[in-house]
Amino acid sequence: MESIIVTYDLNGSGKKYDDLISKIKTYSKWAHINESVWFFKSDDSCAVIRDELMNYLDEDDSLFVAKLSASAAWHNTICSGQFLIDNL
């Protein structure tokens, strides 16, 4: 499985993140990195993941999906650094 990073902005007021977050949590070994940044494992392409997540966004929202293919560094993330070391 590939390491995936997803970041998003829900741009309208009163947006609910619950459905989007629930969908992200269906992927393998997910972690909440920062407020609108998530990590997980998947065999799907970035375009497939984008299309799946777009079902939970409005047209004015933004979304970025990428495969992590190199090393990473972090500080003060929401999830534990050990989780990232073990799962990147």
Side-chain angles (χ1 to χ4, degrees):
M1 287 194 163
E2 301 279 352
S3 296
I4 305 292
I5 189 128
V6 169
T7 183
Y8 54 83
D9 285 316
L10 304 185
N11 294 314
S13 63
K15 298 282 181 121
K16 298 209 182 220
Y17 288 81
D18 297 343
D19 292 340
L20 176 61
I21 291 169
S22 292
K23 175 57 183 171
I24 290 170
K25 288 180 176 181
T26 67
Y27 293 101
S28 181
K29 296 190 179 191
W30 58 266
H32 194 183
I33 305 287
N34 288 324
E35 285 302 316
S36 297
V37 181
W38 291 78
F39 162 89
F40 54 81
K41 297 284 202 171
S42 179
D43 288 324
D44 293 333
S45 71
C46 291
V48 166
I49 294 167
R50 178 206 55 210
D51 293 347
E52 288 177 352
L53 296 180
M54 286 298 300
N55 291 316
Y56 304 91
L57 301 175
D58 293 332
E59 281 298 312
D60 63 337
D61 297 333
S62 60
L63 176 67
F64 178 79
V65 180
K67 288 184 180 178
L68 294 173
S69 59
S71 65
W74 52 87
H75 174 74
N76 280 342
T77 57
I78 292 172
C79 69
S80 102
Q82 190 60 50
F83 176 87
L84 294 171
I85 290 168
D86 292 344
N87 292 288
L88 280 175

